[in-house]
Amino acid sequence: MSKTALKTTEAAPVAAGAGRAAVVAFPLPRPTLAETLAPKLRSVATAVVPPAIVLGLMLLVWEMLCSSPGASLPPPSQVVTDTWELIANPFYDAGGIDKGLGWHLLASLQRVALGYAFAVVFGVGLGVLVGQSQWAMRGLDPIFQVLRTVPPLAWLPLSLAAFRDGQPSAIFVIFITSVWPIIINTAVGIRNIPDDYRNVARVLRLNGFEYFHRIMIPAAAPYIFTGLRIGIGLSWLAIVAAEMLIGGVGIGFFIWDAWNSSMMSDIILALVYVGITGFLLDRIVALIANSITRGTAKS
Amino acid sequence: MSKAYLSIQQVDKTFTRGSASTNVLKSISLDVDKGEYISIIGHSGCGKSTLLNIVAGLTDATTGVVFLEGEVVDQPGPDRAVVFQNHSLLPWLTVYENVALAVDKVFRKTRSKAERHEWTMRNLELVHMGHAKDKRPAEISGGMKQRVGIARALAMEPKVLLLDEPFGALDALTRAHLQDQVMQIHQTLGNTVLMITHDVDEAVLLSDRIVMLTNGPSARIGEVLDVPLARPRRRLDLVTDPTYLRCRSAVLKFLYERNRFVEAA
């Protein structure tokens, strides 16, 4: 402690002298293109290089493990050569279910979009009701808590029986999977609106609608979007499983079909696409959340 | 019915939870004239904020009534604008939007859009926050937030301005600065102000009268002290002013001799 204090007193006059000597007005040179780009490139590199290295190592290990003639799964090089037709033509259509992966993904995304849209509308609506009304919470919350633990696919036979068609059944499974986290998070968000905001609304005499869209929704938005993000993740999980069972066009059925024809490389390619799509869906909802809550979710 | 501008008459407040009930305020009566600056001081937990909330209409009195210009107060409203202790700005709105929300709600029918914009800006300028109108509450300091809170309350053109420990969460320097600004605004606009505080200097500096509450439960008005200091008041001149010192010691005596804070309460 005393040592460092001594050091700083010694160093101070030197630094001050150096400071005085250095006061010379230089015109600021205009930064060149390379100078402005360098920091950006560096930040991109720090984000991209580590995962690229890890990915490369994983592919290398996989390649080595599966290169032996008796291996049950194809190595990555094999996967690429096997599926090059699929990678190169994502949107070919040879009739029936023989379509490019792009079409399969689009069909799945369409189902998710419909089911998820219903879930958002019902989930936020019911969540607001449960969050606002003590009675609705007492009545509905226990039922929600039980129903949300039912695995998505357990709903499929029931919905097939009710709708007598694969398409609406799959959409219903998406809906029922993603609606619970949306309801529960919305309700928690509404219940957690600080009394201060309610008091502001009361002093201003905001009416019901004004309170809803000026106070309630923005205040609960961080919670609501947490629910929406969990919901989109769950719906993407559920769609693959549901499509395996209902058949038709869709990435889930594509995987099942590939398994039945023992085309392991196709399955691996489909898994990569499913993973990337799920990741993108999550990022999209997160981006929307960020732009709507304007970053207040953090503060 | 009293002729006073704001009249608090025989207000009692009892909170009941299950079978247990606590009497917080006991027969509080107070008349406030138009343009008066009243401070309510007392130890924490004595029910100061409850009293302010009753005047604001945010809490109902168990018995007793509050009249404002002869009308019974039974719900919150912009004629009794509140500056909350922790500013209560809406974090998803900018500084301008926070004030504009109040202005648009209160003057939607009586003023044009341009007039409302002009009025919002005028109030922000009044608290010297016009430069930060596009900032969000998270981006400005605590003192600035409280200034926006004051601008929002003033913009409603309230009959009574209710300040709930408005400077409580601020550091001493910022607090002094804001006190001076509030004094100046009171001087210019002549608002009727009811302020909750636990700061003796603040109470003496700002108020025309200081209402001292006894310790809870069942807090009563123990004493009302007139502060006969001429306005405008200047902080530095007052430090040695005999009237100021007399008032200050009267409040201190009340708080620390006759109504010492009871730890158990």
Side-chain angles (χ1 to χ4, degrees):
Chain A
M1 180 63 213
S2 59
K3 237 183 193 174
T4 46
L6 207 70
K7 256 188 207 162
T8 43
T9 46
E10 277 173 1
V14 179
R20 222 178 3 253
V23 181
V24 177
F26 277 109
L28 274 174
R30 275 187 60 191
T32 61
L33 190 66
E35 271 170 345
T36 50
L37 273 180
K40 281 176 193 162
L41 282 177
R42 209 170 298 135
S43 70
V44 168
T46 48
V48 168
V49 171
I53 292 173
V54 174
L55 187 67
L57 284 176
M58 279 168 63
L59 287 174
L60 199 69
V61 171
W62 176 11
E63 182 78 43
M64 289 193 301
L65 285 178
C66 298
S67 289
S68 58
S72 54
L73 292 175
S77 54
Q78 177 84 36
V79 170
V80 173
T81 43
D82 282 355
T83 60
W84 187 247
E85 285 294 297
L86 286 170
I87 297 172
N89 310 304
F91 288 103
Y92 79 88
D93 188 347
I97 55 162
D98 188 9
K99 294 179 199 292
L101 268 169
W103 292 118
H104 285 289
L105 273 175
L106 275 180
S108 300
L109 281 173
Q110 202 184 354
R111 292 189 183 108
V112 166
L114 266 172
Y116 184 68
F118 280 123
V120 171
V121 172
F122 277 82
V124 172
L126 273 173
V128 168
L129 181 71
V130 172
Q132 271 294 87
S133 145
Q134 202 69 28
W135 275 105
M137 191 193 74
R138 286 192 195 137
L140 291 170
D141 195 57
I143 297 168
F144 290 163
Q145 296 298 342
V146 172
L147 286 184
R148 78 188 176 93
T149 62
V150 175
L153 279 192
W155 292 99
L156 190 61
L158 208 60
S159 56
L160 277 172
F163 294 110
R164 297 171 188 285
D165 187 14
Q167 183 74 355
S169 305
I171 292 167
F172 176 77
V173 168
I174 297 306
F175 164 78
I176 205 80
T177 310
S178 53
V179 79
W180 309 118
I182 300 177
I183 294 176
I184 289 165
N185 277 284
T186 305
V188 170
I190 301 275
R191 241 175 284 154
N192 280 350
I193 295 176
D195 276 343
D196 294 329
Y197 300 167
R198 292 184 200 271
N199 285 342
V200 169
R202 289 176 66 196
V203 168
L204 288 174
R205 292 202 185 138
L206 297 184
N207 61 34
F209 175 69
E210 286 166 335
Y211 178 65
F212 177 76
H213 85 108
R214 302 303 300 259
I215 310 275
M216 193 195 278
I217 292 300
Y223 289 88
I224 295 175
F225 276 105
T226 307
L228 293 182
R229 270 184 83 179
I230 300 173
I232 195 77
L234 286 181
S235 18
W236 193 240
L237 288 183
I239 188 67
V240 174
E243 282 173 347
M244 283 185 175
L245 295 176
I246 60 163
V249 181
I251 194 71
F253 183 70
F254 176 87
I255 293 173
W256 193 243
D257 195 39
W259 160 244
N260 283 332
S261 348
S262 298
M263 298 198 284
M264 290 305 139
S265 298
D266 285 17
I267 296 178
I268 290 166
L269 180 71
L271 290 192
V272 171
Y273 280 20
V274 167
I276 289 171
T277 310
F279 172 75
L280 287 179
L281 285 176
D282 182 65
R283 295 316 307 167
I284 288 168
V285 176
L287 274 178
I288 295 172
N290 231 333
S291 70
I292 288 184
T293 61
R294 296 153 167 180
T296 48
K298 280 170 248 156
S299 62
Chain B
M1 203 182 78
S2 142
K3 290 227 166 60
Y5 188 62
L6 171 73
S7 177
I8 303 167
Q9 295 186 357
Q10 294 295 320
V11 163
D12 264 48
K13 179 68 194 178
T14 307
F15 284 108
T16 313
R17 170 167 284 182
S19 58
S21 66
T22 330
N23 183 229
V24 181
L25 296 170
K26 184 89 187 151
S27 41
I28 304 279
S29 292
L30 180 70
D31 283 348
V32 181
D33 289 330
K34 192 167 185 178
E36 250 192 313
Y37 198 119
I38 305 279
S39 288
I40 299 169
I41 197 165
H43 288 292
S44 69
C46 76
K48 306 184 292 278
S49 291
T50 311
L51 180 58
L52 189 93
N53 283 342
I54 290 172
V55 177
L58 292 166
T59 310
D60 291 329
T62 311
T63 60
V65 239
V66 177
F67 290 103
L68 178 59
E69 278 196 319
E71 281 175 39
V72 177
V73 166
D74 53 2
Q75 60 164 332
D79 56 342
R80 280 156 286 120
V82 187
V83 176
F84 298 94
Q85 181 175 6
N86 53 354
H87 67 77
S88 296
L89 298 180
L90 304 174
W92 52 89
L93 299 179
T94 62
V95 162
Y96 175 86
E97 287 167 335
N98 264 290
V99 179
L101 177 69
V103 172
D104 289 347
K105 179 65 192 170
V106 176
F107 300 111
R108 180 175 304 156
K109 295 200 181 88
T110 51
R111 294 185 191 180
S112 71
K113 205 174 166 191
E115 281 172 330
R116 294 200 302 261
H117 167 75
E118 200 261 335
W119 179 243
T120 304
M121 284 314 295
R122 175 122 52 97
N123 279 283
L124 281 173
E125 299 294 352
L126 194 64
V127 295
H128 308 292
M129 285 301 292
H131 61 93
K133 70 183 180 73
D134 295 322
K135 292 233 164 72
R136 282 181 206 292
E139 298 164 349
I140 58 179
S141 70
M144 288 168 139
K145 283 180 207 164
Q146 203 50 279
R147 269 147 64 182
V148 179
I150 292 169
R152 177 173 64 184
L154 287 172
M156 300 176 207
E157 286 194 331
K159 292 175 180 163
V160 182
L161 186 61
L162 302 172
L163 309 176
D164 187 359
E165 294 187 25
F167 317 118
L170 305 174
D171 64 275
L173 291 175
T174 314
R175 190 185 307 167
H177 184 60
L178 266 184
Q179 286 164 351
D180 290 344
Q181 284 189 358
V182 165
M183 229 182 336
Q184 208 179 356
I185 290 167
H186 178 241
Q187 185 81 21
T188 331
L189 304 179
N191 317 76
T192 312
V193 185
L194 205 58
M195 177 178 78
I196 303 287
T197 184
H198 48 223
D199 182 332
V200 177
D201 288 301
E202 179 174 291
V204 179
L205 177 68
L206 295 172
S207 323
D208 297 316
R209 279 193 291 157
I210 302 174
V211 176
M212 294 172 250
L213 292 187
T214 62
N215 282 336
S218 301
R220 292 168 294 103
I221 293 183
E223 206 174 298
V224 179
L225 179 77
D226 274 306
V227 185
L229 288 167
R231 290 180 189 272
R233 297 172 181 172
R234 287 190 56 231
R235 185 182 298 278
L236 285 177
D237 301 346
L238 289 178
V239 176
T240 50
D241 189 299
T243 318
Y244 178 85
L245 294 175
R246 181 178 57 75
C247 294
R248 190 171 182 275
S249 68
V251 180
L252 285 173
K253 276 210 181 93
F254 178 88
L255 288 177
Y256 298 103
E257 272 179 22
R258 274 175 284 161
N259 280 281
R260 213 171 310 154
F261 183 60
V262 191
E263 205 62 56

